[in-house]
């Protein structure tokens, strides 16, 4: 079962040539918020469907769409049961190959712990150490985020031929706040006109080559008392 | 085992005429023999060991104990013919090769796992390793692996196991009524996350006996296997070395085949391979007379091949021989006028195509004539009901409509890689808020483009089907010259159907459907090739390796096929397959691999062997 999950993640995230990923994190002043994650493979339908039609790839069993859906639903169900997590929705559009996950959290700590527990519940327990990494921190004034080590582990297993396939993909990271952003560390971050949202878009190939491209530190203007 | 056989196959490119073939067991069904002086002159051994398959051979045979040695040092006499064989009987499977020996000392430095066994045969030494036996008689050798069938081993083991008073070896015995007297309650199966369905821990294994001096079931089975193996080997060696009974002495066709002045020969006795096919065991045991009739039908069904290596090509001539009855069906089937419409739809630039030209109506009539008396004479209720169904269908079905809808002739082409128009979902962002939404946009993806078409005399029948499918789903759409089935391929690309000119064509080539529904006109196959196709037999094919395999999108294939395609990529050559007219005795095929460049034919041949190796591993 673990292999199915691991392969599914690898397949969905890394094999297709044209992949679009959006992570959209909203953090309110009190630390609660909403996380939305979208994977769009619609531009690679032929390739993904042809892979899904295979029995195995690189010596690993290729899961069916039904198995992937079942695993995703199991993940969502587990996430729903985590403390501080609510309004979990998971949708898989198997025609256009778009996967969407969305949920609310009451604190950043519960967000991270809930996500970690849900991954462990369906994933590879050997990677618990990587999940213990503090990839997101929020102190009410500064949001600091790194790329999770787990995704690095998966990307390190990619072959050079797979890497070429990532060249046309994109990863967009959006952070939204209740109040204005003061400054950001990553220079190419776009900030919206009213300064409440920051968007960083990178190429998936560049991201694999340089994992720190999405690392960012966003400073907000202090709260008025 | 595949590696082993391939190794033997590989070695067979390295020899000359000799008496080594006199050690081929008469149970061998398939034999590949090479007498290749010319090959050895052209290929250096140093080149040979660079191949992938040789790397495996080094790992398997040299075991590191003879590091840095090559086959040059193996003690094999390359002046003798080398024969690779395979055979299967009801009770056993054998494979191996025979070859000449020039230096026994060197040979055993390579085959360093072999130990000498006692031999009862004069002038014959026998050696054994864990899997194989090596028999050396004068300057010829037989390397053989003979395995009893698992059915035979199981039967013998069970017999001994139960006769010793043992119970069912796998836990609960479903046939033992005494074991459970109460109600059986099936508990819900609970799987732990860490469990795997294929985990060996979850299988039932026979429980080991507490007495360590008594063999458990599997230990007993191993002993039975070993003893059966010994018995089979002894019988085989008695035949070969005492009775001098071998394939050459028992099969005049094979003997004759060896005299052909070519670099290599191929022999496959289909009639014997049929009788050893496991799938026919039911007929063999339940309907022996029908089985006998089927066997008779296959009598004389032999495939013979000669391999010729030329400067810029490799030619493989194959003769498929049949018995009279089966031959009469093939003859009728292949007695078909070439459908010239087919060639209109093969573009002159297509890098691969095939044509298959048969007459299904004639084949059906002849098969009915030949097979029905055989089936009707069988005294079996199931067969009798099938015969009744066949006869009724024969009377009631409109055969004219059926065989005009599917005449049997067909063609296929590979049209290269083309950009296929698809739809994709794109996310757009609001620059004010960074909120995003979805919109459908046009996209293109690479796809191999194939066409497959069938000769048809009743185009109205598929039209009825398509018309009604079009009413059921909007995915089927009729256009002036073609039908389209949207998203038929991998849920992304359309499939086009052209129903014109007495052909029904499936293609994912939009250009063919929209712009060339009547064929490619002056851009179709040249007249010269069309003439040749008309003149030749029922099957023809062509592949331009550079134009086909080099362009094939390997990421659409699984790993093994990708490796195979990659191993051929970069080569420039053309393969042609042609067949002769079929008689009631045989059909001849000729496969030619033409290549360009400075490399000699043997090198190209080994390249192909390397590809087969990668495919088979």
């Amino acid at each position: 079962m673990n292999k199915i999950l691991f392969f599914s993640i690898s397949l969905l995230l890394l094999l297709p040539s044209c992949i679009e990923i959006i992570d959209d994190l909203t953090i309110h002043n009190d630390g609660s918020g909403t996380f939305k994650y979208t994977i769009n493979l619609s531009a690679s339908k032929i390739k993904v469907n042809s892979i899904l039609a295979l029995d195995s790839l690189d010596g690993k069993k290729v899961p069916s769409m039904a198995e992937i859906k079942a695993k995703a639903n199991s993940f969502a169900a587990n996430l729903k049961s985590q403390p501080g997590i609510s309004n979990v929705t998971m949708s898989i559009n198997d025609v256009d190959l778009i996967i969407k996950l969305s949920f609310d959290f009451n604190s950043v700590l519960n967000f991270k712990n809930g996500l970690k527990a849900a991954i462990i519940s369906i994933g590879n327990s050997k990677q618990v150490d990587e999940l213990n990494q503090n990839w997101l921190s929020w102190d009410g004034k500064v949001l600091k985020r790194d790329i999770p080590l787990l995704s690095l582990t998966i990307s390190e297993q990619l072959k050079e031929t797979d890497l070429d396939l990532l060249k046309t993909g994109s990863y967009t990271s959006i952070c939204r706040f209740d109040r204005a952003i003061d400054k950001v560390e990553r220079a190419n971050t776009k900030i919206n006109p009213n300064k409440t949202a920051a968007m960083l878009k990178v190429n998936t190939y560049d991201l694999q080559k340089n994992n720190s491209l999405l690392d960012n530190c966003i400073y907000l203007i202090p709260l008025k008392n | 085992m595949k590696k082993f056989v391939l190794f033997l196959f590989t070695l067979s490119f390295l020899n000359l005429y000799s008496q080594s073939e006199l050690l081929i067991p008469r149970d061998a069904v398939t034999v590949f023999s090479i007498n290749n002086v010319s090959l050895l002159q052209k290929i250096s051994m140093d080149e040979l060991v660079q191949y992938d398959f040789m790397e495996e051979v080094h790992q398997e045979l040299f075991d590191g104990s003879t590091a840095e040695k090559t086959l040059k040092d193996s003690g094999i006499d390359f002046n003798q013919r080398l024969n690779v064989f395979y055979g299967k009987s009801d009770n056993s499977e054998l494979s191996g090769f025979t070859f000449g020996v020039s230096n026994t000392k060197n040979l055993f430095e390579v085959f360093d796992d072999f130990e000498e066994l006692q031999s009862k045969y004069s002038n014959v030494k026998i050696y054994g390793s864990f899997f194989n036996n090596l028999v050396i008689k004068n300057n010829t050798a037989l390397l053989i692996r003979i395995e009893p069938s698992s059915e035979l081993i199981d039967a013998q083991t069970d017999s001994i196991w139960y006769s010793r008073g043992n119970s069912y070896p796998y836990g609960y015995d479903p046939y033992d009524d005494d074991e459970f007297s109460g109600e059986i309650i099936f508990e819900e199966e609970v799987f732990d996350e860490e469990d795997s369905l294929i985990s060996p821990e979850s299988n039932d294994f026979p429980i080991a006996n507490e007495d360590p001096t008594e063999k458990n079931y599997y230990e007993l089975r191993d002993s039975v296997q070993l003893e059966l193996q010994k018995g089979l080997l002894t019988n085989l060696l008695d035949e070969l070395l005492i009775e001098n009974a071998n394939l050459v002495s028992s099969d005049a066709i094979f003997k004759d085949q060896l005299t052909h002045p070519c670099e290599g020969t191929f022999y496959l006795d289909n009639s014997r391979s049929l009788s050893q096919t496991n799938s026919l065991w039911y007929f063999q045991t339940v309907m022996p007379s029908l089985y006998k009739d089927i066997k008779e039908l296959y009598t004389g069904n032999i495939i013979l091949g000669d391999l010729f290596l030329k400067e810029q090509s490799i030619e493989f001539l194959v003769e498929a021989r049949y018995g009279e009855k089966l031959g009469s069906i093939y003859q009728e089937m292949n007695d078909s006028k070439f459908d010239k419409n087919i060639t209109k739809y093969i573009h002159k630039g297509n890098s691969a195509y095939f044509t298959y030209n048969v007459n299904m109506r004639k084949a059906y009539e002849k098969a009915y004539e030949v097979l029905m008396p055989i089936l009707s004479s069988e005294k079996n209720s199931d067969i009798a009901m099938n015969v009744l169904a066949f006869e009724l269908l024969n009377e009631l079905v409109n055969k004219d409509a059926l065989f005009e809808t599917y005449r049997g002739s067909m063609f296929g082409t590979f049209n290269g890689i083309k950009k296929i128009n698809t739809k994709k979902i794109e996310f757009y962002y609001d620059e004010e808020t960074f909120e995003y939404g979805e919109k459908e946009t046009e996209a293109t993806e690479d796809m191999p483009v194939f066409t497959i078409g069938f000769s048809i005399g009743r185009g109205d029948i598929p039209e009825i089907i398509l018309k009604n499918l079009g009413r059921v789903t909007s995915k089927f759409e009729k256009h002036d010259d073609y039908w389209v089935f949207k998203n038929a391929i991998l849920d992304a690309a359309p499939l086009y159907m052209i129903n014109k000119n007495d052909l029904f064509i499936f293609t994912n080539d939009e250009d063919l459907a929209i712009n060339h529904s009547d064929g490619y006109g002056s851009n179709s196959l040249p007249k010269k090739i069309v003439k040749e196709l008309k003149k030749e037999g029922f099957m023809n094919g062509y592949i331009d390796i550079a134009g086909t395999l080099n362009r094939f999108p390997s990421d659409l294939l699984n790993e093994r096929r990708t490796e195979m395609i990659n191993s051929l990529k970069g080569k420039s050559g053309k393969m042609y397959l042609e067949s002769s007219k079929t008689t009631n005795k045989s059909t001849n095929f000729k496969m030619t691999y033409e290549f360009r460049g400075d490399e000699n034919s043997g090198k190209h041949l080994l390249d192909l062997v390397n590809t087969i190796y990668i495919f088979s591993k």
Side-chain angles (χ1 to χ4, degrees):
Chain A
M1 291 298 271
N2 295 334
K3 284 178 184 169
I4 290 179
L5 170 79
F6 196 66
F7 187 86
S8 306
I9 294 171
S10 307
L11 173 76
L12 292 172
L13 294 182
L14 303 163
L15 282 179
S17 61
C18 193
I19 181 170
E20 187 176 11
I21 299 171
I22 304 167
D23 86 49
D24 183 344
L25 176 66
T26 300
I27 295 197
H28 300 298
N29 287 336
D30 63 359
S32 66
T34 302
F35 182 66
K36 294 177 189 170
Y37 198 78
T38 306
I39 301 169
N40 176 13
L41 298 167
S42 64
S44 306
K45 272 191 280 189
I46 289 178
K47 187 166 286 171
V48 175
N49 284 330
S50 65
I51 290 170
L52 289 173
L54 297 175
D55 291 334
S56 65
L57 186 71
D58 292 341
K60 298 182 188 78
K61 181 183 177 294
V62 177
S64 64
M65 183 54 86
E67 286 172 318
I68 291 171
K69 276 183 175 178
K71 206 68 194 171
N73 288 334
S74 164
F75 173 80
N78 193 282
L79 189 59
K80 205 176 281 183
S81 67
Q82 299 304 321
I85 302 291
S86 58
N87 299 326
V88 178
T89 58
M90 165 77 81
S91 71
I92 297 182
N93 174 345
D94 57 6
V95 176
D96 292 317
L97 301 176
I98 298 173
I99 301 164
K100 290 179 182 174
L101 168 71
S102 163
F103 59 91
D104 294 337
F105 51 88
N106 63 7
S107 72
V108 169
L109 183 65
N110 280 339
F111 167 42
K112 287 193 297 183
N113 287 343
L115 204 54
K116 185 172 86 176
I119 291 171
I120 290 170
S121 74
I122 59 157
N124 195 334
S125 54
K126 288 175 189 164
Q127 285 158 339
V128 170
D129 289 346
E130 290 159 5
L131 290 165
N132 284 334
Q133 171 210 11
N134 188 20
W135 56 277
L136 183 72
S137 66
W138 164 251
D139 63 1
K141 292 175 287 190
V142 181
L143 178 80
K144 187 174 182 305
R145 58 179 301 176
D146 300 326
I147 190 161
L149 286 174
L150 179 61
S151 55
L152 294 182
T153 306
I154 297 170
S155 68
E156 279 163 10
Q157 293 173 7
L158 287 177
K159 294 182 289 190
E160 201 55 41
T161 48
D162 297 329
L163 292 178
D164 282 345
L165 302 176
L166 295 172
K167 284 179 180 168
T168 49
S170 70
Y171 191 116
T172 305
S173 175
I174 300 168
C175 295
R176 303 175 195 279
F177 306 95
D178 290 342
R179 60 187 199 272
I181 295 166
D182 184 21
K183 60 178 180 178
V184 293
E185 277 190 355
R186 182 67 57 186
N188 50 345
T189 307
K190 278 173 77 173
I191 296 177
N192 70 337
N194 68 9
K195 295 193 171 183
T196 54
M199 181 164 75
L200 189 56
K201 190 171 184 176
V202 298
N203 175 282
T204 43
Y205 179 80
D206 295 338
L207 183 63
Q208 203 281 335
K209 289 289 177 194
N210 180 1
N211 306 131
S212 65
L213 284 181
L214 280 178
D215 295 353
N216 209 351
C217 210
I218 303 171
Y219 299 86
L220 305 188
I221 56 165
L223 268 172
K224 289 173 187 170
N225 291 322
Chain B
M1 191 61 192
K2 278 182 181 171
K3 287 176 186 174
F4 174 72
V5 172
L6 195 79
F7 164 63
L8 308 182
F9 178 74
T10 307
L11 282 183
S12 66
F13 289 102
L14 311 168
N15 115 91
L16 228 173
Y17 184 79
S18 79
Q19 295 299 300
S20 59
E21 55 273 21
L22 298 180
L23 289 179
I24 302 172
R26 62 181 173 185
D27 283 339
V29 170
T30 308
V31 183
F32 199 85
S33 299
I34 293 290
N35 23 294
N36 69 349
V37 185
S38 52
L39 250 186
L40 263 190
Q41 286 170 347
K42 291 170 187 170
I43 300 169
S44 82
M45 291 297 293
D46 292 329
E47 263 183 297
L48 191 66
V49 295
Q50 301 302 317
Y51 285 99
D52 293 324
F53 56 79
M54 294 307 296
E55 193 182 352
E56 291 289 336
V57 169
H58 278 246
Q59 285 170 3
E60 185 162 319
L61 271 180
F62 287 68
D63 282 345
S65 58
T66 50
E68 296 180 9
K69 288 194 174 182
T70 69
L71 283 175
K72 281 176 179 172
D73 313 310
S74 67
I76 291 173
D77 180 4
F78 295 120
N79 291 320
Q80 288 202 46
R81 182 191 298 272
L82 206 141
N83 311 284
V84 184
F85 61 83
Y86 173 79
K88 192 176 177 188
S89 71
D90 294 338
N91 291 328
S92 65
E93 190 172 351
L94 61 93
S95 60
F97 70 122
T98 68
F99 57 97
V101 179
S102 62
N103 187 320
T104 314
K105 184 175 172 288
N106 286 354
L107 187 74
F108 283 103
E109 282 180 15
V110 174
F111 295 102
D112 59 338
D113 291 335
F114 283 84
E115 285 180 11
E116 187 165 358
L117 309 173
Q118 203 173 12
S119 168
K120 64 177 181 181
Y121 313 100
S122 60
N123 294 324
V124 175
K125 290 194 169 188
I126 302 175
Y127 304 84
S129 72
F130 189 70
F131 292 113
N132 308 310
N133 284 96
L134 181 65
V135 178
I136 299 181
K137 181 183 180 185
N138 301 323
N139 65 338
T140 56
L142 161 70
L143 182 67
I144 187 162
R145 179 181 296 189
I146 186 160
E147 296 279 354
S149 69
S150 55
E151 291 82 9
L152 179 65
I153 301 169
D154 288 342
Q156 299 259 351
T157 309
D158 287 352
S159 172
I160 298 169
W161 179 257
Y162 290 121
S163 72
R164 288 180 177 176
N166 292 309
S167 56
Y168 186 70
Y170 302 99
Y172 165 59
D173 182 355
Y175 301 106
D176 184 358
D177 293 336
D178 297 333
E179 194 155 335
F180 286 103
S181 53
E183 188 185 359
I184 299 170
I185 299 167
F186 292 98
E187 288 181 14
E188 191 184 343
E189 217 169 2
V190 178
F191 286 98
D192 186 84
E193 278 298 313
E194 294 304 313
D195 277 349
S196 161
L197 289 175
I198 54 166
S199 157
E201 290 82 5
S202 62
N203 291 332
D204 281 336
F205 281 99
I207 301 157
N209 198 305
E210 286 179 2
D211 179 358
T213 61
E214 192 173 324
K215 288 178 179 176
N216 69 20
Y217 183 84
Y218 275 116
E219 287 166 344
L220 178 65
R221 195 182 185 281
D222 285 347
S223 303
V224 168
Q225 182 175 5
L226 200 67
E227 284 306 309
L228 286 172
Q229 231 170 354
K230 276 186 197 169
L232 288 166
L233 184 68
T234 303
N235 290 343
L236 185 140
L237 294 182
D238 284 352
E239 270 184 16
L240 275 176
L241 303 170
I242 297 173
E243 299 163 29
N244 288 322
N246 54 58
L247 192 62
V248 176
S249 66
S250 65
D251 191 325
I253 294 172
F254 176 66
K255 187 178 178 183
D256 178 62
Q257 186 72 5
L258 292 177
T259 63
H260 290 193
C262 56
E263 274 76 13
T265 63
F266 176 74
Y267 164 93
L268 166 63
D269 188 344
N270 251 336
S271 56
R272 283 194 292 139
S273 95
L274 175 89
S275 60
Q276 289 148 11
T277 303
N278 289 334
S279 57
L280 287 176
W281 71 268
Y282 178 78
F283 288 110
Q284 205 168 349
T285 50
V286 181
M287 288 174 267
S289 59
L290 179 61
Y291 176 73
K292 187 171 159 279
D293 289 333
I294 293 174
K295 257 188 89 173
E296 196 183 304
L297 201 63
Y298 269 81
T299 302
N301 195 317
I302 292 175
I303 296 174
L304 303 168
D306 291 337
L307 192 74
F308 296 91
L309 305 183
K310 300 187 172 175
E311 277 305 310
Q312 293 293 306
S313 68
I314 298 166
E315 284 183 5
F316 192 36
L317 305 183
V318 178
E319 181 186 10
R321 294 186 188 176
Y322 336 108
E324 199 178 321
K325 283 183 177 172
L326 198 61
S328 67
I329 298 173
Y330 289 147
Q331 189 178 24
E332 289 296 309
M333 184 168 85
N334 298 344
D335 182 22
S336 172
K337 196 178 167 195
F338 185 79
D339 184 349
K340 62 184 181 191
N341 285 325
I342 279 174
T343 58
K344 292 179 190 169
Y345 290 89
I346 304 176
H347 193 278
K348 64 184 177 186
N350 273 152
S351 53
Y353 65 80
F354 75 88
T355 63
Y356 183 70
N357 194 43
V358 296
N359 187 329
M360 286 305 286
R361 176 67 184 263
K362 281 187 169 181
Y364 168 79
E365 301 287 3
K366 195 68 187 176
Y368 193 85
E369 179 191 317
V370 171
L371 297 176
M372 285 309 280
I374 296 174
L375 295 171
S376 300
S377 64
E378 187 63 28
K379 291 181 178 59
N380 176 288
S381 58
D382 289 343
I383 297 283
M385 291 310 290
N386 284 327
V387 168
L388 173 64
F390 279 138
E391 287 190 327
L392 286 176
L393 284 171
N394 188 56
E395 295 303 324
L396 299 173
V397 167
N398 181 348
K399 293 198 286 287
D400 290 335
L402 180 66
F403 290 111
E404 279 301 294
T405 305
Y406 179 60
R407 287 173 165 171
S409 292
M410 60 188 288
F411 75 100
T413 65
F414 172 62
N415 308 16
I417 305 297
K418 291 188 181 174
K419 296 280 181 196
I420 296 285
N421 290 327
T422 59
K423 303 275 185 194
K424 69 171 180 180
I425 302 297
E426 213 172 66
F427 285 89
Y428 61 92
Y429 298 87
D430 181 329
E431 290 299 317
E432 296 286 323
T433 62
F434 294 160
E435 290 297 341
Y436 44 93
E438 296 172 15
K439 63 176 179 185
E440 191 176 80
T441 58
E442 298 288 331
T444 56
E445 283 197 71
D446 284 343
M447 185 177 241
V449 177
F450 295 97
T451 297
I452 188 162
F454 301 87
S455 295
I456 190 169
R458 289 287 304 271
D460 56 311
I461 291 178
E463 204 67 28
I464 292 170
I465 298 168
L466 289 169
K467 193 175 72 185
N468 284 287
L469 285 174
R471 288 163 58 188
V472 173
T473 166
S474 61
K475 283 188 166 187
F476 279 88
E477 248 178 34
K478 184 170 172 52
H479 293 254
D480 288 344
D481 295 316
Y482 60 90
W483 283 82
V484 62
F485 179 11
K486 294 177 198 167
N487 291 341
I489 302 169
L490 298 168
D491 276 337
L495 176 72
Y496 300 92
M497 288 157 279
I498 303 166
N499 188 13
K500 286 179 100 176
N501 302 315
D502 288 342
L503 288 170
F504 190 82
I505 298 169
F506 295 97
T507 184
N508 58 350
D509 188 347
E510 188 182 36
D511 177 56
L512 174 63
I514 295 174
N515 303 318
H516 303 286
S517 67
D518 282 314
Y520 290 108
S522 59
N523 286 322
S524 58
L525 282 182
K527 281 182 182 168
K528 189 185 161 202
I529 293 177
V530 175
K531 263 188 183 176
E532 283 171 11
L533 291 175
K534 281 182 186 172
K535 202 170 62 186
E536 286 159 6
F538 74 102
M539 191 160 72
N540 294 280
Y542 164 78
I543 294 179
D544 178 341
I545 290 179
T548 304
L549 302 179
N550 293 351
R551 294 159 67 195
F552 206 84
S554 51
D555 46 312
L556 293 179
L557 303 170
N558 66 25
E559 187 183 25
R560 197 176 61 159
R561 289 175 188 154
T562 302
E563 258 190 284
M564 189 192 74
I565 295 283
N566 288 343
S567 72
L568 277 175
K569 279 183 176 177
K571 292 183 178 37
S572 56
K574 292 177 179 180
M575 281 188 192
Y576 300 89
L577 173 71
E578 52 194 84
S579 60
S580 69
K581 294 289 180 198
T582 301
T583 69
N584 65 353
K585 288 190 174 64
S586 66
T587 303
N588 289 294
F589 299 89
K590 180 180 173 185
M591 196 185 88
T592 309
Y593 171 42
E594 282 180 3
F595 43 85
R596 297 180 284 272
D598 299 330
E599 290 173 343
N600 64 47
S601 52
K603 174 80 170 62
H604 276 271
L605 188 70
L606 289 174
D607 287 347
L608 292 178
V609 170
N610 202 41
T611 303
I612 296 166
Y613 165 76
I614 290 167
F615 184 71
S616 64
K617 73 179 180 178

